[in-house]
Amino acid sequence: MRRNWGMIAAALALLATPDHAAPAKAAPAKAAASKAAPTRPGTKPAAAKNVAKPVATPAPAAAAPIAAAPAPLPDTPEIQALRRAFRFGFAPYEMLRTRQAQAARMQAAGMGSGINALVPRLKLADASSREVTTPNNDTLYGSAWLDLSQGPVFFTIPPLNRYHSAALMSITSDVVALLGTRTVGTAGGRYAIVGPNFAGDLPRGVEMVRSQSNDAWLLVRVVVNGPDDLAAAADGLTRYTLSAVGGDNPIDLAVPAKPDGKAFLTTVNLAIERSGDERLQARARGFADQGIGTPWEQLSPELQKLWTDSLPALVAELKDGLAGGETVNGWSYPPQNMAFYGEDDDLRARVALGGLAALPRVEAVYFTAKSDGQGKPLTGDKSWRLKIPPGLPVGAFWSLTMYQQEEDGRLFFVSNELDRFAVGDRSRHLRPERDGSIELFIQNPKPSGERVVNWLPAPKGKFVLVYRAYLPGAGLLDGSVRLPPVTEDEMIP
């Protein structure tokens, strides 16, 4: 039975729409196990029959008062060891927090436990999208949190003649599989997503995709090629299907946005315990002296206090977000191991704060600018220019998105009178130069006259630009092609 996606989308309008995601608030979730009939090998699993109740979309939350920045931590061996343990655990914490937030909203919409169900968001993110960090304005999303401990989850990709991808992420936020335009083309396919310890049989014609952990996140992206294309893109997204053989192992745990030491360690320990990932569990034992793997109540009062007192500063140290690679002309280029972090906990933790669910470079590159080519911060009280060169090696599409950075390091869209949050190669209003380049005008006040068509609205304060290129070519991957710097110019009245 095909679900009423319009009703479900209305009920779940605030589900994660990341490119990348990290919910700003998480509600406690007490999940009930799903009741799905087992599927025999060779038979097609039955689709779930959850029906959501429509709810009103709340207005954007008022901005929180700006809190004082935490004092830097002393550079002692004790703090250095705590920092390493924190960065090891931060991505699993954010992943489980995102899982709990989505599951709670799906439960409220009448969709059972909210696990092993693919939920589409059938509208593009806008300035009211404050529940996730670094959203994009390019693609629709389908999001599913999987529990593979009870058996496979079957996933079908429909034939699509547009850019699409489905990224499977383990509990550490590493991308363990990517299915889409680059890997499966336009024909689609049938897949069985299994946990790390699965050893059973699968139906004929179904390809196995193995996750590194039992808890996993499946995130589907489908490009929208302009306002008139939204309905067609939404139709494509709703033709994806997901169904589980078994139920799920519920979690009864509150995972707050700003945890104290107890909430952080309790969540990290649970994520690792549930994972079934022997390599992750072996690495976790290396942080036993810092409390990872030990119940909070069994830690010394001194270690408990150290965790709670240090957490705000440890989070503040991650504010580089998507940065971490080399910086050229004010643009920060992602490192080669983006989304394939291995034991690089420093990068994994930074991306978990500023860009959870980032794709690997071979699928998409994200270039970030917080300053011009001279190192001056980008602010809306000045006017800036950026000329996008013609013929950049991009196989799918590119976009340039404007963000305002919050005090906690997360990035959100800027409200403006045109509801214009990004521009790109699908922006029909842009007027190129004779050589095919596109000069963009970046400032807070709306320009008069014809130059408004190439205007990217900026906030009044500091801002961050993110250039995305999906299916980048060799020049963007090997660094032989660079973006020009953002340059300061006279304000356009």
Side-chain angles (χ1 to χ4, degrees), residues 196-197 212 275-285:
N197 303 311
Q212 291 178 355
S275 71
D277 183 347
E278 294 181 357
R279 288 176 296 178
L280 178 64
Q281 293 166 350
R283 287 201 67 211
R285 289 192 286 272

Side-chain angles (χ1 to χ4, degrees), residues 10 40 115 162 164 194 205 218 296 327 365 370 435 439 444 451 471 490:
R40 299 187 306 273
I115 304 301
R162 62 176 65 239
H164 62 101
V194 303
L218 182 67
W296 177 259
T327 298
V365 290
K370 298 181 179 180
D435 65 355
E439 185 176 30
N444 177 256
R451 284 181 289 190
L471 303 187
E490 294 182 1

